[in-house]
Every structure is written in C-alpha cells, then in structure tokens.
Amino acid sequence: MSEIVLKIDDKEVKVAAGTTVLQAAQQAGIYIPTLCHHEKLEAFGGCRLCIVEVESRGWTSYVVSCLYPVAKDIIVRTRSEKVDKIRKVLVEELMAHAPDAPELVKLAEVYGADRNRFERKESFCVVCGLCVRYCDEVKHLNAVGFIDNGAEREISFIPEVAKDVCWECQECFALCPTSYAQAAYLLTEALAFPGQRKAAVRAAKVPVATQRIIPIKPVAATT
Amino acid sequence: MSGNNIDGIIAIIEKYRGQPGSLIHALVEIQHENHWLPREVMHQVADALEVPFAQVMQIASFYKAFSLTPKGRHEVHVCTGMTCHLRGAAKLQAKVEELTGLRDGETDAENKFTFETGACLGSCSIGPELIVDGKHYGRMTPEKVEAVLKQYE
C-alpha cells in the first residue's frame, strides 16, 4: 500500500494511505482528545472533540480527525486558537449533560470550559454511542440501541435481549464516560425483569454489609 | 388488529425475508397497512430480515412516519404553517379539537381518529388546509369542518 507523508504539528508523519488523521497522529505520538473513539470500533464522529485544523493547498478547514483520511501534503494542526475554542464549547455542551464525568472535567481544565455555561439537561448520557456500538460490533448482542432522534436521542436497553445477556457481560459499563449505561441497565432491570441482581448477589455469597454495592464484574483491560 | 391486517403484515414480512437492507421498506409498508408498528410485529421483522431488534427499534423510533402506538382508522391533519395560520388555521384546529375531543398527537378510544398538526403540508395556496387520510380539503373553515369529519366512520 502506498505511503503518504503529511505534517502534523510541524512533525513529518509517514503513514499508509487510508489511515485517518487521528490514527496517524496517534502513531506519531501526538495526542488528540477523543470521547466517542475506541480502537476496536468503527469511527463514529459523534463527539467532535477530535476536531483539527487541516490546511490543504492553501485552504484551511476544520474536520473531525477520526473520520478524515490522510492526504498528501496536508498540514494538520491539532491545537490552534480556533480549534481550542471549538473544543471548549463542545466540552461545555457535553457538561450540560454530565458535569462530573472525569474525562470531561479533565478536558474542561485544559480548554477552560465553564461547566455551568449551558442549562443542565435531563439525561446525563452524552450519546457517544460506545455502549451501542460495542454491543453491536464486538459482542454482536445488540442488547442496547439508540432510540428517537435529534435532541431526544438516547440509549435504551432492549429488555427482551438484555434479560438474557447483560448480566453476564456488563462490558459496556466500563466504556461509558458517564456511568449512564450502567444506570440505564439497572433501571431497565428494575422495570422489566427484577430480581436478577439480587439472585446474583445471593449466589456470590456477598456479606450482607456490602450487598448494597452492585457487584460489577472486573473488566479485563482493553488494549 | 383485524384478520386482514395480520395476513397483510405476514405477506410483507415474507416478501422481505432475509433482506436486511429492506428494513425501512418493510416498516413503511407495515405502517401503511396497519397504521402503527406493534412490538411483536417488529420482533417478527427483526427475525425474518435478520436484523437485530435494537436496530429495528432505532429505525422505527427515528422517523416520525412510523408510529409505535396505535393510530385511528382515519388520520386527521391540520396544517399549522405560516400561510395557513394567517388564514385562520388556529380556529380550524380549535374546532377540530372540539369535534374530535383530541389534542395534537392523540387517538380516541374507539380508534376512529388520530389528530395531528403539521407544518407545512405544502398547499399554501388553498389554506387553511385539512387532510384526512391523504385527501386534501382546502379553504377549510370551522363551519365546514364538521360536515367533512362526518363523512368518516
């Protein structure tokens, strides 16, 4: 496969054609913030935090690096005044949902985002889609999906499916940047098929004093 | 659900069996046949078209054309677009709401009417407009609307 040379933050980077700008930057050890990106999953372009400035033949544009394929002689700037400003607003909008999500708190510090800039939203789901896509692409279980559209879009566990597969898996809980996936699952369980957690707690012979803590399976570190 | 509907739905599902790419076509046809998408039917669609049920739900909840709750035999739309509004759509809407006892998006207990507002329904020159089951009634007035709705059983 042909190789492409491009410039990312004044550093010459050589990668295979078809690589995305985000992958190229990661290969070169250059950090670009992401929220909805996961290397096991197809690029989603949902959170827009990986936005970068691309200069191609004298034209400057702003693109999400997780979806933008590398091209010959483009100049990528991962930090600029405008990129930082866009990321700041994005973080502020996400914080209207989840002001205390650790990843967002960290990003807010870097970009000077105000966690109270926008009115607090009802749901603390940031609709990154990690749980939905992981359940589909990696686990092939499709126990959780998107519901509705636009501003009302949210994730929802399908009780008929979740009942049989989620307790044994629980892998999306750790992926979720805001713990919403776990909360949504427990709500679904409580409403549609109560008793599963209780039964598992009894079977695990967890001491009574700690039974109120939900035993979540330790998740193997994903590389 | 009448027997007719069930046969129609099964025929539609069979037509698209094994074709995941035809999910939206199948749902559109079932919506047209049955006026709404019951959960069991969506499960059958998922199984027959080999699409995960979560994806069927995603599509069915994404588009406003699909209804996840039962709809009446007749769908009544009043246009609330700018032109119809200026020509008195608000009064028309109030009259339809009074006659049917329904507010926007509701269906009556006998499943006779579903009432919905929309903008713009695309016939500004004949506004204010009432659409019943796809039939357009232009220059509608609160006085005339009762006679129109009486035609539907």
Side-chain angles (χ1 to χ4, degrees):
Chain A
M1 205 192 272
S2 60
E3 293 222 303
I4 282 176
V5 182
L6 69 156
K7 223 175 193 183
I8 306 179
D9 290 349
D10 298 324
K11 196 172 167 184
E12 292 243 319
V13 182
K14 202 197 253 180
V15 290
T19 316
T20 63
V21 169
L22 176 64
Q23 287 167 330
Q26 285 172 341
Q27 281 170 29
I30 297 164
Y31 171 74
I32 297 175
T34 60
L35 195 71
C36 72
H37 183 76
H38 191 285
E39 54 197 358
K40 281 188 180 173
L41 306 175
E42 261 182 54
F44 187 55
C47 71
R48 318 306 280 183
L49 281 173
C50 66
I51 198 159
V52 292
E53 192 174 286
V54 168
E55 194 182 318
S56 171
R57 279 184 274 167
W59 290 89
T60 304
S61 55
Y62 296 86
V63 300
V64 280
S65 57
C66 68
L67 290 171
Y68 197 82
V70 291
K72 197 167 161 268
D73 295 332
I74 58 169
I75 301 163
V76 177
R77 283 180 285 270
T78 65
R79 293 290 296 261
S80 75
E81 203 183 317
K82 200 162 172 188
V83 165
D84 281 12
K85 197 182 159 200
I86 294 170
R87 287 193 191 142
K88 170 177 170 278
V89 177
L90 287 170
V91 171
E92 284 169 340
E93 284 178 317
L94 292 171
M95 280 184 133
H97 289 277
D100 297 311
E103 287 165 67
L104 292 179
V105 171
K106 246 183 251 163
L107 286 167
E109 239 168 70
V110 176
Y111 295 99
D114 172 9
R115 71 206 294 272
N116 296 317
R117 176 165 173 197
F118 296 109
E119 200 187 334
R120 194 64 33 87
K121 299 284 188 347
E122 285 161 33
S123 163
F124 60 99
C125 176
V126 293
V127 210
C128 66
L130 280 171
C131 54
V132 174
R133 291 178 293 136
Y134 188 82
C135 199
D136 176 27
E137 294 173 32
V138 177
K139 305 293 288 188
H140 307 295
L141 293 171
N142 293 93
V144 57
F146 286 117
I147 294 289
D148 235 313
N149 62 17
E152 273 78 48
R153 195 181 209 203
E154 54 182 26
I155 62 137
S156 174
F157 281 84
I158 308 290
E160 298 95 310
V161 185
K163 174 168 63 91
D164 301 322
V165 297
C166 286
W167 186 260
E168 287 305 313
C169 173
Q170 301 188 12
E171 285 166 32
C172 63
F173 296 173
L175 290 174
C176 180
T178 73
S179 305
Y180 184 82
Q182 186 182 353
Y185 167 74
L186 287 172
L187 184 64
T188 308
E189 194 216 74
L191 291 171
F193 48 95
Q196 209 167 46
R197 185 178 67 88
K198 272 284 189 190
V201 172
R202 271 197 299 275
K205 298 204 166 61
V206 181
V208 177
T210 55
Q211 270 189 18
R212 63 202 152 92
I213 297 163
I214 306 145
I216 294 178
K217 290 202 311 190
V219 178
T222 46
T223 47
Chain B
M1 229 192 302
S2 68
N4 253 348
N5 273 352
I6 292 172
D7 292 343
I9 291 169
I10 291 171
I12 293 162
I13 294 175
E14 286 312 313
K15 188 164 73 175
Y16 294 111
R17 183 171 284 279
Q19 300 174 39
S22 302
L23 174 61
I24 292 184
H25 296 285
L27 293 181
V28 166
E29 286 182 32
I30 294 169
Q31 170 75 37
H32 192 74
E33 174 81 24
N34 194 52
H35 301 294
W36 74 291
L37 303 173
R39 205 176 175 93
E40 319 86 78
V41 169
M42 288 194 285
H43 269 295
Q44 285 169 23
V45 170
D47 294 343
L49 273 64
E50 290 156 36
V51 179
F53 179 70
Q55 256 174 47
V56 179
M57 276 302 285
Q58 181 179 341
I59 299 291
S61 63
F62 187 93
Y63 296 102
K64 212 186 162 217
F66 299 126
S67 174
L68 302 181
T69 48
K71 281 211 175 172
R73 293 188 298 284
H74 306 292
E75 289 178 37
V76 181
H77 294 263
V78 168
C79 183
T80 51
M82 178 69 75
T83 313
C84 288
H85 178 77
L86 291 173
R87 290 169 178 233
K91 279 180 194 155
L92 176 65
Q93 184 184 338
K95 186 70 182 173
V96 173
E97 287 180 347
E98 186 200 316
L99 288 170
T100 58
L102 302 170
R103 276 182 301 177
D104 188 6
E106 291 181 343
T107 302
D108 61 73
E110 283 91 45
N111 277 344
K112 186 175 171 190
F113 289 125
T114 294
F115 173 60
E116 274 172 354
T117 59
C120 154
L121 305 183
S123 307
C124 300
S125 61
I126 57 163
E129 206 196 6
L130 174 82
I131 304 179
V132 185
D133 294 344
K135 187 166 189 264
H136 292 242
Y137 295 91
R139 300 245 185 273
M140 195 40 62
T141 62
E143 292 76 42
K144 284 198 274 181
V145 72
E146 188 165 5
V148 173
L149 291 179
K150 269 199 174 148
Q151 298 168 33
Y152 295 92
E153 254 325 298

